[in-house]
Amino acid sequence: MTRPEAVRRVKSYSSATGFVYQYYFYEVQKVRHGGAAGTEYVYMISVDRKKVFPLRVFVRRDGIEKWGRAGGRDLTGTEEYAVAKMRLFDALDEIAGIESSQPDLVVDESNIDTLLARLNL
């Protein structure tokens, strides 16, 4: 049996580069990148409302665990999703022409504190 098509909530984001992007959350999956375990959040992005392209945010498990040890608690699934979304927004703000470059977006120990601070965590 085929999987029913999910209803997606399309949102807008006005970036610092001057573009207004439309995006929606597409899927989440546990993956390994370069030997590192983590969770990949996939967002579908559009610049012109005609074509969409995927942007993947890889949240490294070791960065999340290190933060958890220092903070005395683990991140919830909702908090992990939020930190991935903050990383997505950073990329949309920083990279003009993101649709052609489709960069590797990563949340790890180098940026997790900054991203979580924006969420007051």
Side-chain angles (χ1 to χ4, degrees):
M1 180 185 300
T2 59
R3 189 167 126 187
E5 191 63 32
V7 176
R8 309 281 184 194
R9 182 171 166 219
V10 178
K11 301 175 186 175
S12 294
Y13 181 74
S14 298
S15 73
T17 59
F19 290 99
V20 177
Y21 294 95
Q22 289 74 45
Y23 71 96
Y24 61 88
F25 174 71
Y26 184 69
E27 69 181 351
V28 61
Q29 51 194 337
K30 301 289 183 190
V31 296
R32 294 186 79 76
H33 282 264
T39 307
E40 184 177 73
Y41 294 85
V42 181
Y43 297 88
M44 299 302 286
I45 312 293
S46 177
V47 180
D48 60 7
R49 295 185 182 183
K50 295 177 185 167
K51 294 185 245 174
V52 296
F53 59 93
L55 274 181
R56 293 168 164 72
V57 179
F58 180 60
V59 180
R60 288 181 55 131
R61 176 65 31 216
D62 54 358
I64 295 292
E65 289 172 350
K66 183 176 180 182
W67 182 89
R69 285 190 300 274
R73 70 173 186 90
D74 293 334
L75 285 181
T76 67
T78 303
E79 291 167 338
E80 187 174 315
Y81 169 82
V83 78
K85 194 169 176 180
M86 291 296 101
R87 181 63 187 101
L88 171 71
F89 290 165
D90 282 352
L92 295 176
D93 284 338
E94 296 165 358
I95 305 170
I98 198 167
E99 65 277 6
S100 59
S101 63
Q102 295 191 18
D104 290 328
L105 305 177
V106 178
V107 174
D108 58 17
E109 63 185 55
S110 70
N111 61 3
I112 192 167
D113 290 330
T114 305
L115 294 169
L116 288 171
R118 290 174 35 200
L119 297 167
N120 295 322
L121 294 174

